[in-house]
Amino acid sequence: MPSLTIAAVLLLMSFSSAAQAPAADLDQSYQDPETRKLVALVEDAAEAVRSRGEAAFDDLCFPGSRWRQGEYYIFVLDRNGYMVAHPDPELQGKNQIELKDVNGRPIIRGLLQAATAAPDKRSGWYHYQWPVPGGLLPRWKSSYVRLVSAPSGREYVVGSGLYNDRMERGFVTDMVANAVEVIERLGPGAFPLLRDPTGPFLVKDTYVFVVDLDGIELVNPAFPNLEGRNLLDVKDTQGKYLVREMLEVVRSADSGWVDYMWPKPGDHASTLKSTWVRRALREGRPVLVGAGVYLAHAPRETVTAARASASEVTRLVRAGVAVLEREGERAYPRFREKDSRWFHNDTYLFVWNMHGVRIFNAAIPEGEGLDVSELKDVLGRPLGRMILEVAASPSGEGWIHYMYPEPGGLFPTWKSTFLKRVTYPSGEQFVVG
């Protein structure tokens, strides 16, 4: 009879949670029904712990129960990082506070902070990489957690996760809320945390960015080349002044959604993005904090410009070297001619000397004469040293790969460059790419 009573109580809790008003919010926040199912499961498990306390732990770990279905399972942590309920006996009953994922992201600390970092926020999401039960390779996992007080007076964090590479609106609003709390508490000290690749603000294809009310980008971990730039006049591919619209939202309503076309990190073609923006106070001054989600099946800009193949680029550089060996710098005007063999679409020639000074660049003539030996790409790769190392190698030629904006563009994308050492008629050596 007691087991029937428990089952009836749990069933009633399931029906009551589904019938409450937050179900409508779930439909708006989470596009995937599996995400809504997970949130409802965690809320029901949290209610079981709130009402029955520690006596509910065994039920939450019972094989074949509603709490353990396929990849879904409930776990419970105490505030100190002890795993008090988990289907894996290797984890249960042990302090797991130092557990990290394959990239060094702190799993348990992140789960606890998602539900306890802000005094008025008792639930949230945390994203990390973890193998599927019984699997070897880690995948992105998004875990929803809820802080709950048991009848004993002890507090626990109840959660569950799903394996999903994409984001949801609810994940993004939660991430921005956490970022606002950190910015308002730490001020300038928050920015390194927003850029930390092992932190909670840079996951999957989503990242938190910060813009001041004059339109200056203060933080953008996915496109760091935009930091310090005024973006008020930046338009998306459909002509929308996206930053102006974001600022209007936070001025008029403190928070809201803005849709526009924007590239995913590492891409150069724009995809429809829905971004949640909120107003925050940074040392008493308002700033805009945002993060976006690329929705499932979102339209993507079609790139029609022809791309040169690797063999075409190699032939172009070798041909350029042959000309430079005969003519030296007298060939530069010919190399600058647009829509010519030497400069078409996004393919062009550049020349450095062997010390890293940019001698010639068909696409960026204003940068000629600069020492770029310490130039780095947006990922911190030592682009300048990479070029000089190829030039000084025994073969004097080779490929390098890095992230760099297209000529006149804002967004870094993967670029592959073929390089070859050349000797001018004067006897001086250079590197052509």
Side-chain angles (χ1 to χ4, degrees):
M1 187 66 177
S3 61
L4 291 175
T5 303
I6 293 171
V9 170
L10 292 177
L11 186 60
L12 285 172
M13 288 193 299
S14 175
F15 280 121
S16 63
S17 68
Q20 291 172 352
D25 296 335
L26 291 182
D27 290 340
Q28 295 178 3
S29 297
Y30 307 118
Q31 193 176 21
D32 190 342
E34 292 298 311
T35 309
R36 298 196 292 268
K37 173 183 174 182
L38 180 84
V39 172
L41 185 70
V42 172
E43 294 292 349
D44 286 355
E47 176 60 23
V49 174
R50 188 198 65 80
S51 60
R52 298 178 52 225
E54 293 78 6
F57 293 167
D58 287 342
D59 290 343
L60 297 179
C61 296
F62 191 77
S65 68
R66 64 170 298 211
W67 313 111
R68 291 181 61 181
Q69 297 289 334
E71 295 179 355
Y72 295 102
Y73 58 85
I74 292 291
F75 60 83
V76 184
L77 293 159
D78 72 8
R79 293 288 294 260
N80 296 316
Y82 279 90
M83 190 71 73
V84 296
H86 194 283
D88 186 350
E90 293 297 319
L91 297 177
Q92 189 165 328
K94 299 176 182 177
N95 191 299
Q96 304 291 338
I97 197 70
E98 299 301 330
L99 185 65
K100 296 180 179 180
D101 76 357
V102 66
N103 293 317
R105 196 180 301 268
I107 296 177
I108 303 303
R109 292 183 189 276
L111 292 169
L112 293 174
Q113 289 174 359
T116 65
D120 58 344
K121 184 173 176 292
R122 297 173 65 89
S123 66
W125 289 91
Y126 189 65
H127 314 276
Y128 51 96
Q129 296 195 58
W130 195 250
V132 175
L136 292 175
L137 301 178
R139 288 179 54 195
W140 275 111
K141 186 173 187 179
S142 297
S143 287
Y144 178 72
V145 289
R146 162 71 67 181
L147 180 67
V148 61
S149 298
S152 64
R154 298 190 65 183
E155 289 188 321
Y156 298 99
V157 171
V158 181
S160 185
L162 54 85
Y163 294 90
N164 195 331
D165 291 333
R166 66 180 179 83
M167 297 294 281
E168 294 261 21
R169 288 181 183 270
F171 300 170
V172 168
T173 56
D174 182 75
M175 185 182 294
V176 171
N178 293 338
V180 167
E181 190 277 330
V182 170
I183 290 169
E184 293 187 337
R185 177 164 49 87
L186 299 180
F191 286 1
L193 299 178
L194 300 183
R195 298 186 182 102
D196 184 359
T198 67
F201 303 111
L202 186 56
V203 298
K204 303 181 185 179
D205 58 10
T206 298
Y207 53 92
V208 168
F209 62 89
V210 183
V211 179
D212 71 16
L213 296 196
D214 294 322
I216 305 295
E217 187 98 76
L218 302 178
V219 175
N220 192 317
F223 300 99
N225 62 305
L226 299 183
E227 293 184 1
R229 300 180 63 168
N230 190 308
L231 303 182
L232 284 180
D233 292 329
V234 170
K235 302 178 185 178
D236 72 359
T237 54
Q238 297 178 342
K240 177 181 286 190
Y241 288 99
L242 53 110
V243 175
R244 295 186 188 187
E245 185 167 329
M246 292 178 189
L247 291 171
E248 180 59 30
V249 168
V250 298
R251 288 190 182 109
S252 61
D254 279 345
S255 64
W257 291 98
V258 177
D259 294 342
Y260 54 95
M261 299 293 289
W262 194 258
K264 295 181 180 182
D267 201 353
H268 67 284
S270 295
T271 301
L272 183 63
K273 184 175 187 179
S274 190
T275 290
W276 177 254
V277 293
R278 266 188 63 177
R279 184 175 180 270
L281 290 178
R282 176 177 176 257
E283 296 185 300
R285 301 186 63 180
V287 294
L288 178 155
V289 183
V293 55
Y294 299 94
L295 300 176
H297 312 301
R300 184 175 186 270
E301 176 191 12
T302 301
V303 178
T304 57
R307 301 283 176 183
S309 67
S311 60
E312 290 171 334
V313 170
T314 302
R315 287 197 298 270
L316 180 69
V317 171
R318 293 191 189 281
V321 165
V323 172
L324 291 168
E325 286 176 338
R326 296 192 307 268
E327 303 179 22
E329 60 272 9
R330 291 185 292 114
Y332 294 166
R334 196 185 326 162
F335 291 168
R336 290 192 198 278
E337 295 177 5
K338 289 190 177 181
D339 300 321
S340 68
R341 173 188 183 185
W342 309 106
F343 186 2
H344 57 277
N345 296 327
D346 60 356
T347 303
Y348 57 91
L349 290 175
F350 63 85
V351 179
W352 289 17
N353 71 14
M354 298 297 285
H355 302 290
V357 176
R358 184 187 283 142
I359 303 300
F360 169 81
N361 190 301
I364 317 173
E366 63 273 15
E368 294 174 359
L370 298 178
D371 184 341
V372 283
S373 58
E374 297 302 318
L375 182 66
K376 296 181 179 179
D377 76 355
V378 295
L379 300 176
R381 293 168 177 258
L383 172 57
R385 293 203 298 272
M386 290 162 63
I387 290 176
L388 294 177
E389 286 171 3
V390 170
S393 67
S395 67
E397 67 178 41
W399 286 92
I400 62 171
H401 313 280
Y402 51 97
M403 295 279 291
Y404 213 72
E406 294 183 6
L410 285 174
F411 310 115
T413 186
W414 278 109
K415 183 175 184 178
S416 295
T417 293
F418 181 71
L419 304 157
K420 185 170 178 61
R421 188 171 62 235
V422 58
T423 302
Y424 280 24
S426 64
E428 188 176 359
Q429 290 191 323
F430 298 86
V431 57
V432 182

